[in-house]
Every structure is written in structure tokens, then in C-alpha cells.
Amino acid sequence: MFKGIKSKLDDMNIIKRLCERAEAHALHDQQREPGAEHFLLAALDLPDGTARLAFERVGVEPDALQAAIERQYGDALRSLGLTADAPHETSISANPGAYQAAPSGQAVMQELAATRKHHAPLLGAHVVGIVAGMSQGVAPRALRALGVDPATLKSAADGIVETIGPAR
């Protein structure tokens, strides 16, 4: 019983850290609500190292993800005739009140919640597997820009999860 409670508390701490880091990444990108790409970056920040390992297993430097995401934002602005060259003169803060994520970020969190009963412990590789399974958005475009086959990355992440599995 106590082991189960400890496991749930550990997961809650990881989710808190994941959300805080995702929000920090979003604010860095001048966005108030984190999207899937920010949760993917946050997963790379988790101390378990499994998100980074998933990227390494498919031959991609995890630290290249941030630049690939920034390129996606720049490309989107250029498609509208705008540039992203101007430095951020003002910083923004998170929305006051309850935590909110962008729709793609909400999808990541909903999938994590839906699958929590199927695995333990909560790992960065879980987030990688979920985001790699998405077909649209900044995160999938950034992965493709890095030359990552999303299905291969998802397989690598899922393999890590299976290896670590239910043991705590």
C-alpha cells in the first residue's frame, strides 16, 4: 500500500516538474501556454535521462531539438511575411490562475493521464513516445526537420519504457 502511495507521489512530483519546465520553455518562446514541443523539451530536462536516451538511440543529438523548434516558429512567421529576427524586448509571464497548456500540450497531458495505469514509473520516454505519435504541429515538424522518423523515435521511447517497466 505504501509503495503505491509513494509511486503516485513520485509521479505527481515528476508531472509538476514536467509542467513547470514546459511552461518555462514556452515563456522563453514568448508563449503563455506550453505546447507539445515544450513538453518534449521538458522531458529532455527530466533527471531520469530516458527522453535523451530515446533521441540518442535514433542517432539524434537531443540538444538539437531546441534549434529545430525555433526554426519551425521562424518558418511559420516567414510564411506570413514576418521575421523572427527581432530580439524579444519584453518578457511575458504565465497566465494567472490555474495551469493551462495549449491544445497540443493538453493532448500530451491527457494521454499521460490515460496511460498512467499501464506503466510505472513515469519517465521522460513516456512523453517522447506520446509526442512522437503526434502527426501535426510544431513538435512533429521539428522532429522531421531533424531527420527523425517519428515512428522510429516512438519505438525507441516505448522500448526504453518496457525495459525500465514497472519496477520502482
Side-chain angles (χ1 to χ4, degrees):
M1 179 173 105
F2 290 114
K3 189 175 184 179
I5 292 170
K6 183 186 180 320
S7 173
K8 290 197 183 305
L9 288 173
D10 289 344
D11 283 355
M12 286 173 37
N13 285 330
I14 292 167
I15 289 169
K16 178 182 182 229
R17 183 176 183 151
L18 184 67
C19 290
E20 288 172 346
R21 292 299 305 145
E23 185 174 67
H25 285 292
L27 292 172
H28 177 265
D29 288 339
Q30 298 292 302
Q31 298 177 36
R32 284 195 166 92
E33 297 178 344
E37 65 275 18
H38 302 116
F39 281 94
L40 189 55
L41 289 168
L44 293 173
D45 294 341
L46 290 176
D48 66 45
T50 59
R52 290 183 157 287
L53 182 59
F55 275 82
E56 291 165 356
R57 284 195 178 169
V58 297
V60 174
E61 173 56 43
D63 294 329
L65 180 62
Q66 177 69 47
I69 290 169
E70 289 172 4
R71 279 194 309 274
Q72 299 315 301
Y73 291 139
D75 290 349
L77 288 172
R78 279 188 292 285
S79 75
L80 298 171
L82 304 171
T83 63
D85 298 333
H88 304 298
E89 293 179 18
T90 60
S91 64
I92 63 170
S93 59
N95 283 329
Y99 183 83
Q100 293 183 12
S104 65
Q106 290 175 19
V108 171
M109 293 307 293
Q110 288 168 355
E111 184 67 20
L112 274 177
T115 59
R116 282 311 306 140
K117 61 185 169 281
H118 300 297
H119 50 70
L122 176 58
L123 304 168
H126 288 116
V127 177
V128 173
I130 289 167
V131 175
M134 296 177 143
S135 60
Q136 297 179 7
V138 173
R141 287 194 310 273
L143 292 174
R144 287 190 295 270
L146 288 172
V148 175
D149 173 40
T152 303
L153 180 60
K154 182 170 177 26
S155 273
D158 292 347
I160 292 166
V161 167
E162 288 173 16
T163 300
I164 294 176
R168 276 251 186 212

